[in-house]
Amino acid sequence: MDYNQFFTTALDRLHDERRYRVFADLERMAGRFPHATWHTPKGPRNVVIWCSNDYLGMGQHPKVIGAMIETATRMGTGAGGTRNIAGTHHPLVQLEAELADLHGKEAALLFTSGYVSNQTGIATIARLIPNCLILSDELNHNSMIEGIRQSGCERKIFRHNDVAHLEELLRTAGPERPKLIACESLYSMDGDVGPLAKICDLAERHGAMTYVDGVHAVGMYGARGGGVAERDGVMHRIDVLEGTLGKAFGCLGGYIAAKASIIDAVRSYAPGFIFTTALPPPICSAATAAIRHLKTSSWERERHQERAARVKAILGAAGLPVMSNETHIVPLFVGNPEACKRASDLLLEEHGIYIQPINYPTVAKGTERLRITPSPYHDDGLVDRLAEALLQVWERLGLPLKQRSLAAE
């Protein structure tokens, strides 16, 4: 039997559907972000990154790098194993305390990634609740969907950000049945925000728990970087807040923050936590340094919002099809997978601009887009060159423009 044929057939299918993913070999330059070196078969080239989730550039911040180097020098690189076997190293204990404080919760628990924290966190929490019904927003991230699936619990999907539909499902479930509402605070593909206050109102009225994925908002919003939940004044009403260290905090890892009993139960029952090597001490120290800095410094958040607004204004004035939202995400509608991939390739090869195409299954077919994420370090010159390059690519591919605006002129 030719087992290899199964895999080549699967790959051929991705190529035919224009969904095959190609990774660019990039070397970021600390201190010069968003500039990077693109290693090509023809040799290295300088490029500008426009789609990083290191939203605030904290991955190059001197405090963060310094904390990582100091801890690696003092403690070594790895954690030595799972926390059960190797013990819980002190920088990890400090980081969990910092996260609990950030979100005003009794405790926090670290995982190796934001994906794992959702996947194993949701599955474990729901399994520990007898006859739990999970109510999930239809645009929830794949990690949440996998966690819900692995829980084995009944689930109902409510229309995206539709609180009336959610209330209808809550009423149907009845007051006696345990219920878990799972949603995001900021949806990263469209850049829209979840109606957290209204969802909390419904949860309290119908006796449901709330689980909120805040990965694209932590560090970015709120007076101390607690996310949209902090900004909107509802953090204390959310039962479980999930976040990441790999985006605004510029490091690696995921976490949940909640009451001590919830955290202890997940710690005690979650396979994705129990059987996984802990995050290394240098990573934990770096993340703690990033969180502490962003708790007191608002410059990064304010500059970031100003840069995102400028990019939207400049691209909109040029007639480019920016998908409107109130957050830092700048989606540029394409609507065709082949054209989206070709636009990305042209931007990189001819203009030295790196923006990955976003195609199915990340977004629905027919809604393919380029997802632009400005940082505090994308200056006016880079923004103007981005607009010029995009206009040239749009013309080259025959993609439609909107009517030009005078708003940014």
Side-chain angles (χ1 to χ4, degrees):
M1 184 176 291
D2 183 7
Y3 285 97
N4 194 54
Q5 185 60 41
F6 298 131
F7 305 108
T8 57
T9 298
L11 290 171
D12 288 343
R13 188 161 60 246
L14 288 178
H15 282 289
D16 291 342
E17 296 172 358
R18 303 296 188 268
R19 292 199 292 123
Y20 182 75
R21 298 170 188 260
V22 178
F23 299 151
D25 183 353
L26 297 176
E27 181 180 342
R28 298 194 345 160
M29 302 176 188
R32 291 194 60 206
F33 179 78
H35 296 274
T37 299
W38 175 34
H39 293 277
T40 79
K42 297 179 181 179
R45 283 183 55 191
N46 290 330
V47 298
V48 176
I49 299 174
W50 273 101
C51 58
S52 174
N53 284 342
D54 184 3
Y55 291 130
L56 302 179
M58 292 302 294
Q60 67 172 7
H61 196 284
K63 289 182 182 178
V64 178
I65 295 173
M68 179 176 284
I69 292 171
E70 188 279 328
T71 302
T73 302
R74 179 167 49 89
M75 297 184 64
T77 55
T82 66
R83 292 167 71 171
N84 181 56
I85 291 174
T88 295
H89 58 78
H90 190 57
L92 196 154
V93 174
Q94 291 177 305
L95 176 53
E96 287 181 337
E98 203 70 45
L99 289 165
D101 174 77
L102 175 66
H103 297 297
K105 302 299 183 187
E106 293 176 358
L109 189 68
L110 277 168
F111 298 86
T112 50
S113 73
Y115 193 100
V116 174
S117 56
N118 268 337
Q119 183 185 46
T120 199
I122 292 174
T124 304
I125 290 167
R127 276 200 306 265
L128 291 174
I129 302 172
N131 194 32
C132 182
L133 172 67
I134 302 176
L135 304 163
S136 174
D137 188 290
E138 66 177 336
L139 293 189
N140 277 342
H141 190 264
N142 177 268
S143 57
M144 301 181 77
I145 295 169
E146 279 300 301
I148 292 166
R149 184 182 65 81
Q150 291 178 23
S151 74
C153 297
E154 183 184 359
R155 69 176 182 203
K156 298 286 184 182
I157 311 299
F158 61 92
R159 292 184 292 271
H160 178 53
N161 280 350
D162 189 336
V163 290
H165 188 209
L166 173 59
E167 183 166 28
E168 178 186 325
L169 295 175
L170 287 165
R171 277 205 193 101
T172 301
E176 301 304 320
R177 185 169 189 185
K179 299 169 285 291
L180 177 66
I181 301 171
C183 67
E184 299 185 36
S185 66
L186 194 160
Y187 293 83
S188 66
M189 290 300 115
D190 292 331
D192 55 334
V193 173
L196 298 185
K198 293 180 180 178
I199 288 174
C200 289
D201 289 343
L202 290 178
E204 291 161 8
R205 193 179 308 146
H206 295 275
M209 274 187 68
T210 48
Y211 182 105
V212 176
D213 174 324
V215 297
H216 290 277
V218 294
M220 309 287 294
Y221 299 89
R224 300 197 309 155
V228 169
E230 180 189 21
R231 183 197 70 181
D232 293 355
V234 297
M235 185 75 77
H236 63 289
R237 303 174 66 192
I238 292 168
D239 293 299
V240 184
L241 192 292
E242 185 267 350
T244 184
L245 306 173
K247 294 182 170 61
F249 298 127
C251 294
L252 173 73
Y255 63 90
I256 58 173
K259 287 183 177 179
S261 57
I262 296 173
I263 295 301
D264 198 15
V266 174
R267 181 192 70 84
S268 302
Y269 281 92
F273 169 82
I274 294 169
F275 299 106
T276 301
T277 298
L279 285 174
I283 293 289
C284 293
S285 291
T288 298
I291 295 164
R292 286 175 178 170
H293 175 78
L294 290 174
K295 280 180 176 178
T296 59
S297 173
S298 61
W299 177 87
E300 289 84 0
R301 283 187 287 276
E302 292 170 359
R303 169 73 174 174
H304 183 261
Q305 289 295 321
E306 186 274 328
R307 293 286 84 193
R310 180 167 179 81
V311 171
K312 290 177 182 179
I314 294 294
L315 299 190
L320 290 157
V322 177
M323 300 167 68
S324 178
N325 65 69
E326 63 181 81
T327 65
H328 62 279
I329 306 295
V330 188
L332 205 57
F333 184 83
V334 178
N336 177 281
E338 194 163 359
C340 199
K341 177 66 168 65
R342 184 64 180 137
S344 174
D345 291 343
L346 287 172
L347 286 167
L348 184 59
E349 294 163 6
E350 298 188 4
H351 300 277
I353 290 173
Y354 176 67
I355 307 175
Q356 271 292 77
I358 305 294
N359 290 340
Y360 177 84
T362 306
V363 295
K365 291 179 179 179
T367 68
E368 294 83 4
R369 69 204 60 181
L370 298 177
R371 178 182 175 271
I372 299 166
T373 54
S375 79
Y377 303 99
H378 286 87
D379 60 31
D380 288 352
L382 293 179
V383 176
D384 292 341
R385 285 195 286 278
L386 172 67
E388 292 166 6
L390 285 167
L391 282 172
Q392 291 181 34
V393 168
W394 246 244
E395 182 179 2
R396 176 101 163 259
L397 298 178
L399 295 170
L401 294 170
K402 292 182 177 180
Q403 186 174 0
R404 290 176 182 267
S405 162
L406 300 178
E409 295 180 1

